[in-house]
Amino acid sequence: MSLALAPLDERVELEANLPCRKFDPDLWFSDSPTELELAKSLCGDCPLRVECLAGAVERAEPWGVWGGEIFERGAVVPRKRPRGRPRKEDVARDAALRVEVEARMAATGLAETRDNVRLAA
């Protein structure tokens, strides 16, 4: 019995160049708001960003960064807040970011699945 090498799959080569494969995976599941923002920025140029986000929405991922968006308890949140009571300006910024997230989701074609997506209030 001889062991034959499988032909090189382009998908394997692509996955090796994905940000979530090149950097520490814990970055995408950090408790630190700063590290989560870094993970979101790394997702920006990912060729699989839209598919990743769509899959996370479909699965209602409980937490982490998926497709350049932060998920918490199955909902997309504009940013992760640190512990404690939010400042008034943070609440206003969160409202503006929520609008931005909705616009980005509409631009990527995920607005049609809006019934499946729950944005955190």
Side-chain angles (χ1 to χ4, degrees):
M1 173 160 129
S2 71
L3 295 175
L5 294 176
L8 182 60
D9 185 4
E10 291 178 18
R11 187 85 172 166
V12 172
E13 193 172 313
L14 174 68
E15 287 182 6
N17 290 321
L18 299 177
C20 56
R21 304 281 194 228
K22 288 170 43 175
F23 296 94
D24 182 7
D26 290 340
L27 184 62
W28 277 260
F29 299 97
S30 176
D31 286 328
S32 165
T34 305
E35 289 181 357
L36 291 177
E37 290 300 321
L38 174 59
K40 281 175 56 174
S41 70
L42 292 172
C43 291
D45 295 331
C46 180
L48 297 179
R49 184 179 61 82
V50 173
E51 293 87 349
C52 178
L53 179 57
V57 166
E58 184 178 307
R59 294 185 305 271
E61 282 293 338
W63 65 298
V65 174
W66 297 90
E69 300 295 340
I70 299 174
F71 281 76
E72 191 170 294
R73 295 184 199 103
V76 175
V77 295
R79 69 180 185 89
K80 171 110 176 162
R81 291 193 306 237
R83 292 179 171 240
R85 184 175 181 177
R87 297 180 177 156
K88 289 181 183 178
E89 62 266 11
D90 289 344
V91 172
R93 183 175 45 204
D94 283 351
L97 287 172
R98 193 172 302 110
V99 170
E100 181 183 333
V101 166
E102 289 176 356
R104 284 196 316 247
M105 291 181 74
T108 58
L110 291 173
E112 294 80 38
T113 60
R114 178 83 170 118
D115 296 333
N116 298 334
V117 180
R118 184 172 56 92
L119 294 176

